[in-house]
Amino acid sequence: SPMSPTREEFGIKTVGIYRDTNDPNVVVLHFEVEDTTRMNEYLALPQFAKFSQEAGVIRRSIWLGATVQ
């Protein structure tokens, strides 16, 4: 990964990366997160903002869910 520190260091595990079949500009990243506080710390890193900008991220939506089974 071009970023340092890594997602894994913040307890963020990649589960899958998906592209919308109707709009190739929409990408969904699926992660498992150990601790939402640590996730928010990661998202606040200047390196994360720089990487996102370089990757062409225009808008980000974050949805949190909990396992029920």
Side-chain angles (χ1 to χ4, degrees):
S1 171
M3 294 183 56
S4 180
T6 66
R7 288 188 297 263
E8 291 80 12
E9 292 174 72
F10 282 79
I12 303 169
K13 177 185 171 193
T14 302
V15 175
I17 301 173
Y18 313 94
R19 185 177 302 275
D20 188 308
T21 56
N22 296 313
D23 184 349
N25 293 312
V26 175
V27 177
V28 176
L29 307 173
H30 179 183
F31 299 107
E32 287 182 356
V33 177
E34 294 174 9
D35 179 341
T36 56
T37 299
R38 291 287 289 153
M39 176 197 74
N40 287 322
E41 291 171 359
Y42 176 78
L43 296 175
L45 290 172
Q47 298 97 317
F48 180 78
K50 182 177 186 286
F51 177 77
S52 295
Q53 182 180 25
E54 290 173 356
V57 173
I58 297 169
R59 182 181 63 217
R60 175 177 295 109
S61 298
I62 297 176
W63 180 83
L64 298 174
T67 303
V68 294
Q69 285 188 348

